[in-house]
Amino acid sequence: MVKRFWQEQYPLLFGLGLACLIYYLSFGWQTLDPRYIDWLVRGDIFGQFIGWEFFRRSDWFFPIADFTGPLAPIRHNLGFSGGMTLYAIVLRSFVPQSWFPFQVTGIFIFSCFLLNAVFANLIAKQITKTHLQRFFLVGMTVITTFLMARINHPSLNAQFLILAAIYLYILVAQRKKFPHWRFYTLTIVTASTEPYLLVSVFLVAIAAFVQRSVFEGAWLKMVAQVIGLCLANLFILYIQGYFSYYDFPDRIDRLSFTLIKGTDLLAIFDFSASRTIHQFLGFK
């Protein structure tokens, strides 16, 4: 019994080991030390770290992801400097400002690699028949982030959120009952981590609701669930500050940095932020 249990875990252990190897070759174990920040001075990781440092030293504002930086009193938004709003708010509540340097970017990316392996294994157990197939699926999933060349963007490594959505959908397709609040929770966590991933997770959630309605014939219930899902996530994005509004003329919200370059509808007609930046830099 015990031997069979461990044999079932071999694909998972393989995935976790591969995740550790990729992380070590890409960043090194020293990056897991919160006091080590030299490795952060590159690309998107640097922008995320600087945003985090200014955010944890700034006053609280609304939207909750706003902070003041070197252009104070002009405000910027954490979502436009690397995302991970949920984790930043939680850490800010427990990490004293006197702790410097302090970074958890390495721990976050490493955790994403491990969770990618975990959810890939859960999916593989549902759709594969042999250990070889599970090994292949888990291995390819774990190295996907590395192959996409986006490994240096911290929040985009959280592809386990998409894998979790796919796993929940598979449970629905197999007619295994589970509370719908799991999809609500998953999409809200995704919206608070990396909104770019939200599109994929959201579409999988809608597909699951439609699939359940096909089985049960409860179409009105499905419509209500989709509307509720939309409203919940729009609210989460709103309180984070992913939408520009005229009431906050001192915020820096450039159209090129808004959510998917099109959903920030108010910013399309508001060019004051762009003028503010140009004036600060000495341009007319």
Side-chain angles (χ1 to χ4, degrees), residues 9-281:
Q9 307 310 315
Y10 286 161
L12 173 60
L13 296 176
F14 167 73
L16 295 175
L18 184 59
C20 292
L21 177 62
I22 293 176
Y23 185 87
Y24 171 73
L25 295 177
S26 302
F27 302 106
W29 297 126
Q30 69 274 16
T31 58
L32 297 177
D33 183 353
R35 299 166 298 177
Y36 180 64
I37 62 173
D38 291 351
W39 70 288
L40 296 170
V41 188
R42 57 175 177 178
D44 292 328
I45 290 182
F46 181 68
Q48 186 275 331
F49 174 66
I50 290 298
W52 151 249
E53 283 297 333
F54 280 124
F55 175 73
R56 75 187 187 109
R57 286 171 168 74
S58 175
D59 294 329
W60 286 103
F61 296 101
F62 183 84
I64 57 177
D66 273 12
F67 63 89
T68 53
L71 300 182
I74 297 176
R75 284 186 272 162
H76 193 43
N77 188 275
L78 191 65
F80 302 145
S81 60
M84 298 164 59
T85 304
L86 173 64
Y87 308 92
I89 291 175
V90 172
L91 284 173
R92 176 175 173 170
S93 303
F94 295 98
V95 178
Q97 293 185 10
S98 59
W99 289 10
F100 182 83
F102 186 87
Q103 62 86 19
V104 292
T105 306
I107 297 175
F108 176 83
I109 296 177
F110 184 54
S111 300
C112 289
F113 281 18
L114 297 179
L115 288 171
N116 285 343
V118 170
F119 282 102
N121 181 64
L122 289 174
I123 293 173
K125 290 175 66 176
Q126 299 295 325
I127 65 176
T128 61
K129 297 181 179 180
T130 67
H131 272 58
L132 181 60
Q133 292 174 331
R134 284 177 59 188
F135 273 105
F136 180 79
L137 192 152
V138 172
M140 289 302 299
T141 303
V142 169
I143 66 175
T144 295
T145 304
F146 178 77
L147 294 176
M148 288 177 61
R150 298 302 292 166
I151 198 171
N152 286 317
H153 192 299
S155 56
L156 286 181
N157 286 283
Q159 295 179 26
F160 70 89
L161 295 168
I162 299 177
L163 296 176
I166 295 174
Y167 174 64
L168 291 179
Y169 175 82
I170 292 174
L171 295 184
V172 172
Q174 295 177 346
R175 302 198 179 194
K176 296 180 180 179
K177 293 184 177 296
F178 68 93
H180 282 92
W181 60 261
R182 294 186 183 181
F183 266 120
Y184 281 84
T185 303
L186 182 60
T187 54
I188 288 174
V189 170
T190 306
S192 304
T193 303
E194 177 52 72
Y196 283 116
L197 302 178
L198 177 61
V199 177
S200 299
V201 174
F202 187 81
L203 291 177
V204 174
I206 292 180
F209 290 156
V210 172
Q211 184 71 64
R212 176 61 64 83
S213 298
V214 171
F215 292 151
E216 300 178 352
W219 294 102
L220 289 179
K221 180 180 179 181
M222 181 270 292
V223 172
Q225 290 170 341
V226 171
I227 292 176
L229 194 69
C230 291
L231 293 177
N233 283 277
L234 286 174
F235 175 74
I236 294 299
L237 293 173
Y238 168 75
I239 65 175
Q240 290 182 83
Y242 278 102
F243 302 102
S244 303
Y245 16 162
Y246 296 106
D247 304 274
F248 295 91
D250 58 338
R251 295 178 66 229
I252 298 180
D253 284 316
R254 289 172 288 180
L255 183 59
S256 61
F257 276 79
T258 54
L259 182 60
I260 315 181
K261 301 184 179 180
T263 55
D264 196 347
L265 301 179
L266 295 179
I268 295 176
F269 307 100
D270 181 12
F271 300 98
S272 60
S274 178
R275 289 199 299 270
T276 301
I277 296 172
H278 279 68
Q279 291 171 1
F280 178 81
L281 295 177

